[in-house]
Amino acid sequence: VTVLIASLKNMREFTYSGALDFPENWFYLENYLVAWTKAKMPLAFWNTSLILFFTLGGSILTGTMIAYVLNRFTFRGRELLKGAFLMANLIPGVTMQVSTYRIMTSLGLVNSIPGIVLLYTGTDIIAIYIFLQFFSSIPTSLDEAAYIDGASYFTIFFKVLFPLLKPAIVTVLILKGVAIYKEYYLANLYLQSKTRYVTISTSLYTFTGEYGNQYNFISAGVMITIIPILVTFLLLQRSIYSGIAQGAVKE
């Protein structure tokens, strides 16, 4: 509520009024126009949409395949791989940024959309464990029946098992999508061109500076970024609730 109120006040009114004082004009939209244009919000939405599309697609594809191999096949080192994934999830990502940044620089992936997509996709450990948990609830008799009928492992995965993973996929889409949408540290570090590769999270920092912050414009920008999430939630709330309930609980 305070953010909405602040977004409808001009600089003078914001400075000399309280946080809960109502604005003089409820239809004062200049802050929204300034935030939309000066912060390059159209470009930010476009870049963020590209990152979300390819990252979520890559995370679902790689996560389900890795979980399928670890859950359905027995081979030497399987438990070691599971432990390695768990250990990687326990290590704070910020402690690895020096080495990660050097690798990304040597590969020429800094300051590029493919680079940040690869980084987001390759660090998605939680999705693998969500898919592992859901694979455990799917009986192996489905695999065996399809294999007896002559289906290959790829056919079993894509035609038999993958459609059953819809609840888990919805859960991963929500968790990963929200995390990427609001993520600032990696986007600011690896997308260094703030005129070409601005994202939703970094665009709001246009109105910050060493001499103060323009919170009325920041509040308007925050309200603009909330709208897509709110609309998506209202349209897909039934699928979201069922996906979380089924994908997060092992039956």
Side-chain angles (χ1 to χ4, degrees):
V1 176
T2 57
V3 174
L4 175 61
I5 292 175
S7 68
L8 297 173
K9 295 180 179 180
N10 56 40
M11 183 60 70
R12 179 195 58 80
E13 189 179 359
F14 178 84
T15 304
Y16 294 103
S17 63
L20 295 178
D21 292 341
F22 291 147
E24 298 175 356
N25 182 8
W26 285 95
F27 299 97
Y28 182 78
L29 301 179
E30 184 177 344
N31 292 338
Y32 289 86
L33 295 176
V34 173
W36 180 261
T37 56
K38 189 174 180 180
K40 298 180 176 63
M41 299 293 283
L43 179 61
F45 275 110
W46 172 251
N47 289 336
T48 303
S49 299
L50 284 178
I51 294 171
L52 279 172
F53 178 80
F54 288 106
T55 300
L56 293 178
S59 295
I60 291 171
L61 189 61
T62 58
T64 52
M65 285 184 170
I66 292 173
Y68 172 62
V69 171
L70 292 179
N71 181 263
R72 288 305 205 250
F73 295 91
T74 301
F75 54 90
R76 182 177 298 178
R78 184 179 71 165
E79 297 302 322
L80 180 62
L81 282 176
K82 289 184 178 179
F85 281 123
L86 179 60
M87 184 63 66
N89 191 49
L90 295 176
I91 299 175
V94 68
T95 62
M96 306 293 294
Q97 283 308 312
V98 174
S99 57
T100 302
Y101 189 85
R102 293 184 64 181
I103 293 173
M104 295 287 287
T105 302
S106 63
L107 295 175
L109 294 175
V110 175
N111 200 31
S112 68
I113 298 295
I116 197 70
V117 168
L118 180 64
L119 192 63
Y120 285 148
T121 304
T123 56
D124 193 11
I125 309 298
I126 297 298
I128 295 175
Y129 276 91
I130 292 176
F131 290 128
L132 271 174
Q133 182 181 4
F134 203 83
F135 267 117
S136 300
S137 66
I138 300 176
T140 56
S141 58
L142 293 176
D143 308 43
E144 296 168 354
Y147 187 76
I148 292 174
D149 289 339
S152 65
Y153 290 121
F154 283 98
T155 303
I156 293 172
F157 174 76
F158 285 108
K159 296 292 184 65
V160 179
L161 298 178
F162 192 81
L164 299 177
L165 296 174
K166 180 181 177 181
I169 290 174
V170 172
T171 303
V172 171
L173 287 176
I174 296 169
L175 297 177
K176 188 74 174 180
V178 171
I180 294 175
Y181 192 79
K182 67 178 183 179
E183 208 281 325
Y184 170 76
Y185 177 74
L186 293 180
N188 183 62
L189 180 62
Y190 289 95
L191 299 178
Q192 299 171 356
S193 176
K194 298 304 182 286
T195 58
R196 183 179 180 185
Y197 295 125
V198 62
T199 63
I200 292 298
S201 58
T202 59
S203 65
L204 297 179
Y205 283 80
T206 302
F207 305 106
T208 62
E210 58 180 323
Y211 298 110
N213 303 324
Q214 298 169 298
Y215 288 108
N216 54 329
F217 298 139
I218 294 175
S219 299
V222 170
M223 295 303 302
I224 292 174
T225 61
I226 289 175
I227 292 175
I229 297 296
L230 181 60
V231 172
T232 302
F233 173 77
L234 293 177
L235 294 177
L236 304 176
Q237 56 181 327
R238 181 175 299 179
S239 299
I240 291 173
Y241 287 141
S242 62
I244 293 177
Q246 298 179 47
V249 179
K250 179 180 177 180
E251 299 179 357

